[in-house]
Amino acid sequence: MQDQPWITCYVTDMLLSYMRESLGCEEKIDYGALFRDVEGIETPADPKGFLADVRNWIPLSVLRELEAQCERISGKKDITYHAAKAYFTPGRKTLPSLFEIIVQVLADVRSALLFVNTWGASQTSYLRLQGFEKPGPDGGLYMLAEFDRGAEPAIGSINLLRGFCEGFPRVYPFIEEIECAEEISQLSIERIVSEFPEFAMTRRDDLIAVHRRGSDRPVIEARRVRLATEIVEPPRDFLELPPETAVVPPRNGRIEVLTPESPSPPGPDSPAARLAYRIVTPGILADGPLTYAFEAGRIYGAPYCRFRITVKERQTGRQEVSIDRLRRDVSKLLFEQLRQTKQAHTRMIRMSMERRQLALENIRLRREVQQEYSFAGLIAQSKRMQELFGQIRSVAETDVTVLIQGETGTGKELIARAIHYNGARRQKPFVAVNCGALSQTLLESELFGHERGAFTGAVGQRKGIFEAADGGTLFLDEIGEIPPSTQVKLLRVLQDGEFQRVGGSETLKVDVRVIAATNQNLPALVEKGAFRQDLYYRLNVFPLSVPPLRERLDDIPLLVSHFIAKAREPTRKSISDVTAAAMALLMSYDWPGNVRELENTVLRMIVSCKTDILDVSDIPSEIRGGDIGTAPASALLKGISRESREMVERRAIEEALRRTEGNVTQAAKLLGVSRATLQNKMKLYGLRQPKA
């Protein structure tokens, strides 16, 4: 439950019951809005039923939103008071089992109220309640209530407590009348004013003034006071309060509580635990039909609330309860049950939040993966790659086996993932294995799993990746490296979807889509007898051929820009571009390592770069091939398409003009062309000579 305040659905059930049975307007509640802004909590499938189940727990913010809606719908600012009081009307409904136990065991109001601390501890994670009594004719029953920081009480919170204290004793047949009066309130004036948007509050020294917005004339005024205290002896016939549930922990068998009697002006050394505000100018706040009255002498902003409870009983019908029964049954039965129930619900809430967080994280990661391996994740603009994308789209919509052929580094696994994440199996696992990186025994164990004792080191049963990929896609990279014995087992899986673990006899069945890849010439391997012909045909249902980078040079500028952007975060460098000469040199290289080599080269260039633009000098020497940094870019563009040549040529002209500060003659010399040629090119590309 972390630091968020929580409460049981006893309270929401009270409100919903009152809206339904007394006002007949429960259908106006917007249940979807109650959970909308609650972080880490998923809206229940049936929010109405969830909030009516007293066994459930909710964040306090959900209750506050429900209270606000009920106030607006009913036009009653004290609706929580009426709802809590009406909830215990005799004969209204079958009481929850919790109250049945209380009625049976705590068979007098005094006992129930003096055990009020356990009510707060078992029904909320933020509220401490404490009961005490004062002897004598002017004495009576009292209750203290303290809301934790982070759960600052609202008007509805105080009304709820009053309604509860006046409501539940009505289940006793001998109760004639009961009243719960708030003598000191933890409710702050600022919190009250925040519920009435037409009013504002100002402070000046020890005075608080509430006024209408746009007016300086105060409607309500309160002055800071120092509260007195009184010493009270807790009832000796009840168990001592645990420190964590006490508002005021006992000292030497007594408690010192705040009293509303004789407050005085605060001194310079007045303890904060005794300071509050007393109303000196009464008034009423209103927001449409919703009103709240500040009465003269009322005390707000205290460290905790103090309520006085007056009970009038009938002369007959009371059941006497022995002290021994209270000690035995209450301490060992009722409150232990409540404590365990709270712990159980707390664990359930924590697990629900963790599941919710994991679900959201899983959704986020899935979206990231799908975005990464969607077609936007495959960087290309060349005609050959666009044709390949069309094939990928077509095969992704089916469930057939695919064989991807291409040189090392051309992005075969990236294409396999694109097929998976754009197909019907996208929500299922994608599992990849490099068949050329494992020995025969390890490969079979990796693919099919093994039983205990199948080989040395097999100390237990292990599932293989075919089982792990069930329902999803299995990518077999370097399929040409599989030994003949494993090829036989793989063929059976492709034909029947069946296999056996290494060392096992049980036949297992899976539903897996297989995508294989190789950089070898499989037909040549078939002719040599190194690869089974039937397996080749089984894999080669839909072949995809990935062109090497040297055959799609038009993609290099796009790929370089992508790799520059991708490297900004890990390298902590803000490289913005690459010079035309450097781009021309990158486009003139053969790239035997294909896209993977290009990405590594760009990363090395970024690490070495001392400016914000990559230049020829940043290109590794084995690719640069000597000192050609001054060679014109046009000399390096053999075999490149017209569109790419024009792009590099335009970049080179712009760069030359920038370096020569717009001097066309010097720029032409830098580019190795005549002034007339440069001017024609500038006209062709719409470039103008910069103004001096």
Side-chain angles (χ1 to χ4, degrees):
M1 287 166 51
Q2 303 175 354
D3 296 329
Q4 187 170 204
W6 291 74
I7 189 169
T8 64
C9 285
Y10 275 108
V11 181
T12 52
D13 187 40
M14 291 177 187
L15 281 167
L16 296 180
S17 299
Y18 187 75
M19 295 291 286
R20 179 177 62 253
E21 299 171 9
S22 299
L23 302 182
C25 53
E26 182 192 8
E27 72 281 353
K28 295 182 180 180
I29 296 173
D30 182 1
Y31 288 98
L34 300 179
F35 294 87
R36 189 170 296 150
D37 298 324
V38 183
E39 184 177 355
I41 301 297
E42 190 171 3
T43 302
D46 178 16
K48 178 179 176 181
F50 183 90
L51 295 172
D53 188 340
V54 298
R55 297 169 297 179
N56 293 329
W57 283 69
I58 54 169
L60 177 60
S61 58
V62 175
L63 172 62
R64 293 280 170 84
E65 173 61 26
L66 178 60
E67 289 174 348
Q69 285 197 35
C70 291
E71 288 176 0
R72 291 193 298 269
I73 294 170
S74 67
K76 297 176 181 289
K77 195 64 181 174
D78 58 353
I79 189 171
T80 53
Y81 167 77
H82 295 292
K85 191 172 181 178
Y87 191 72
F88 300 97
T89 301
R92 184 190 69 85
K93 58 179 285 187
T94 302
L95 289 173
S97 59
L98 170 66
F99 295 107
E100 291 177 351
I101 297 174
I102 291 174
V103 171
Q104 294 171 9
V105 178
L106 298 177
D108 68 10
V109 178
R110 171 181 175 274
S111 302
L113 288 172
L114 291 178
F115 268 99
V116 75
N117 69 295
T118 310
W119 290 79
S122 61
Q123 300 298 300
T124 76
S125 66
Y126 60 85
L127 176 63
R128 281 179 291 280
L129 301 176
Q130 184 173 351
F132 68 91
E133 59 184 341
K134 293 168 60 177
D138 297 330
L141 288 170
Y142 294 83
M143 182 179 72
L144 307 178
E146 182 182 16
F147 294 79
D148 285 344
R149 185 177 299 176
E152 180 186 5
I155 296 174
S157 309
I158 305 302
N159 286 331
L160 182 65
L161 281 176
R162 289 182 53 243
F164 183 83
C165 289
E166 293 183 13
F168 88 84
R170 301 171 70 188
V171 302
Y172 296 102
F174 51 82
I175 295 298
E176 182 176 334
E177 187 179 342
I178 187 167
E179 180 184 4
C180 178
E182 187 183 28
E183 297 183 332
I184 299 175
S185 184
Q186 188 183 355
L187 184 61
S188 70
I189 297 175
E190 184 176 10
R191 182 65 175 84
I192 298 172
V193 174
S194 70
E195 299 187 33
F196 295 88
E198 293 185 8
F199 293 85
M201 188 193 84
T202 57
R203 296 177 187 267
R204 187 176 70 253
D205 298 327
D206 290 334
L207 187 69
I208 283 180
V210 180
H211 52 85
R212 286 188 176 276
R213 295 188 182 276
S215 171
D216 295 331
R217 188 173 68 86
V219 180
I220 296 109
E221 290 181 305
R223 190 171 298 279
R224 200 172 197 188
V225 294
R226 181 181 185 273
L227 298 177
T229 62
E230 61 180 339
I231 304 299
V232 179
E233 291 190 5
R236 298 183 180 279
D237 53 349
F238 287 88
L239 300 176
E240 185 176 347
L241 295 179
E244 67 273 10
T245 66
V247 178
V248 181
R251 292 184 179 180
N252 301 320
R254 300 188 302 175
I255 57 176
E256 182 181 7
V257 297
L258 298 175
T259 175
E261 305 299 331
S262 304
S264 59
D269 299 324
S270 297
R274 295 187 182 182
L275 297 178
Y277 283 89
R278 187 174 190 177
I279 301 299
V280 294
T281 302
I284 297 176
L285 302 184
D287 179 21
L290 304 177
T291 61
Y292 185 85
F294 285 93
E295 300 174 0
R298 287 287 302 277
I299 296 173
Y300 294 90
Y304 52 81
C305 302
R306 170 172 164 152
F307 297 89
R308 177 168 179 162
I309 301 166
T310 306
V311 182
K312 184 178 179 181
E313 299 183 3
R314 297 185 179 91
Q315 296 300 316
T316 59
R318 176 166 176 166
Q319 177 184 353
E320 296 296 333
V321 180
S322 68
I323 299 302
D324 289 341
R325 182 179 179 187
L326 283 174
R327 289 183 182 278
R328 181 183 68 253
D329 294 342
V330 172
S331 63
K332 295 184 179 179
L333 172 62
L334 173 61
F335 298 134
E336 179 61 24
Q337 175 188 345
L338 293 177
R339 185 184 66 81
Q340 293 179 358
T341 301
K342 179 180 179 181
Q343 290 178 347
H345 285 313
T346 301
R347 287 194 297 269
M348 291 172 60
I349 291 167
R350 185 180 294 113
M351 292 172 61
S352 175
M353 291 180 67
E354 290 175 352
R355 285 198 302 269
R356 171 66 173 165
Q357 290 170 352
L358 288 173
L360 291 174
E361 180 68 10
N362 189 36
I363 291 172
R364 184 187 67 79
L365 291 174
R366 281 185 178 275
R367 285 176 178 171
E368 286 184 0
V369 169
Q370 290 179 16
Q371 182 178 5
E372 176 71 18
Y373 298 109
S374 66
F375 293 108
L378 292 168
I379 309 300
Q381 63 182 0
S382 62
K383 182 178 179 181
R384 289 195 60 180
M385 288 301 293
Q386 291 302 316
E387 291 174 352
L388 179 61
F389 288 172
Q391 293 178 303
I392 293 173
R393 291 187 182 92
S394 299
V395 76
E397 297 173 356
T398 71
D399 214 20
V400 301
T401 304
V402 179
L403 177 62
I404 305 173
Q405 301 176 78
E407 295 180 4
T408 299
T410 51
K412 296 187 290 296
E413 183 173 343
L414 191 66
I415 291 172
R417 290 181 182 271
I419 294 171
H420 171 77
Y421 287 108
N422 286 277
R425 296 175 181 259
R426 65 175 66 89
Q427 301 298 333
K428 297 296 183 179
F430 177 91
V431 183
V433 61
N434 188 335
C435 301
L438 301 170
S439 65
Q440 177 177 338
T441 302
L442 290 178
L443 177 60
E444 291 192 10
S445 173
E446 188 74 15
L447 291 174
F448 310 115
H450 62 253
E451 299 291 346
R452 179 179 180 181
F455 51 84
T456 302
V459 295
Q461 185 191 78
R462 182 179 182 276
K463 293 183 178 181
I465 59 174
F466 266 103
E467 291 178 79
D470 191 21
T473 301
L474 176 59
F475 176 58
L476 300 175
D477 198 9
E478 304 302 340
I479 191 71
E481 302 290 340
I482 292 183
S485 60
T486 307
Q487 293 179 29
V488 176
K489 296 182 179 181
L490 180 58
L491 179 62
R492 184 185 178 191
V493 181
L494 294 176
Q495 289 176 335
D496 307 320
E498 297 179 349
F499 67 94
Q500 293 177 346
R501 296 192 186 104
V502 177
S505 57
E506 178 186 4
T507 299
L508 304 174
K509 194 170 184 66
V510 291
D511 173 26
V512 174
R513 178 183 193 169
V514 173
I515 300 177
T518 182
N519 60 1
Q520 299 188 52
N521 187 337
L522 287 188
L525 293 178
V526 170
E527 289 183 6
K528 295 178 181 178
F531 199 86
R532 292 181 62 96
Q533 187 178 49
D534 47 4
L535 177 58
Y536 170 69
Y537 289 131
R538 180 65 64 176
L539 292 171
N540 198 39
V541 177
F542 194 96
L544 292 176
S545 179
V546 187
L549 188 56
R550 62 182 173 274
E551 294 179 9
R552 55 185 184 104
L553 296 176
D554 294 2
D555 292 334
I556 289 180
L558 198 62
L559 287 166
V560 170
S561 297
H562 171 71
F563 295 146
I564 288 174
K566 183 179 177 181
R568 285 196 184 107
E569 184 175 345
T571 61
R572 296 182 178 87
K573 287 193 173 185
S574 55
I575 303 298
S576 60
D577 205 350
V578 57
T579 65
M583 180 63 74
L585 185 57
L586 293 174
M587 294 178 72
S588 67
Y589 183 63
D590 244 1
W591 300 110
N594 292 291
V595 179
R596 187 179 300 139
E597 185 184 7
L598 174 63
E599 181 175 11
N600 292 338
T601 298
V602 172
L603 186 59
R604 288 175 61 185
M605 291 172 65
I606 292 173
V607 172
S608 303
C609 185
K610 305 302 181 184
T611 65
D612 60 351
I613 298 179
L614 300 180
D615 202 352
V616 172
S617 59
D618 300 314
I619 299 177
S621 58
E622 62 270 22
I623 295 176
R624 191 171 65 237
D627 185 14
I628 57 173
T630 59
S634 58
L636 303 171
L637 296 177
K638 296 178 179 179
I640 299 176
S641 70
R642 180 179 59 81
E643 292 81 2
S644 296
R645 181 186 297 275
E646 289 176 352
M647 181 193 69
V648 175
E649 199 169 52
R650 179 185 178 121
R651 278 192 180 189
I653 294 172
E654 290 174 334
E655 181 186 345
L657 290 171
R658 178 182 58 81
R659 291 170 63 181
T660 61
E661 298 180 352
N663 189 306
V664 177
T665 301
Q666 292 182 16
K669 290 180 179 179
L670 189 64
L671 293 170
V673 297
S674 67
R675 176 184 173 88
T677 300
L678 177 56
Q679 288 178 324
N680 290 334
K681 291 289 185 181
M682 290 173 63
K683 183 177 180 180
L684 175 66
Y685 298 134
L687 299 176
R688 295 183 179 180
Q689 183 177 352
K691 295 181 180 180

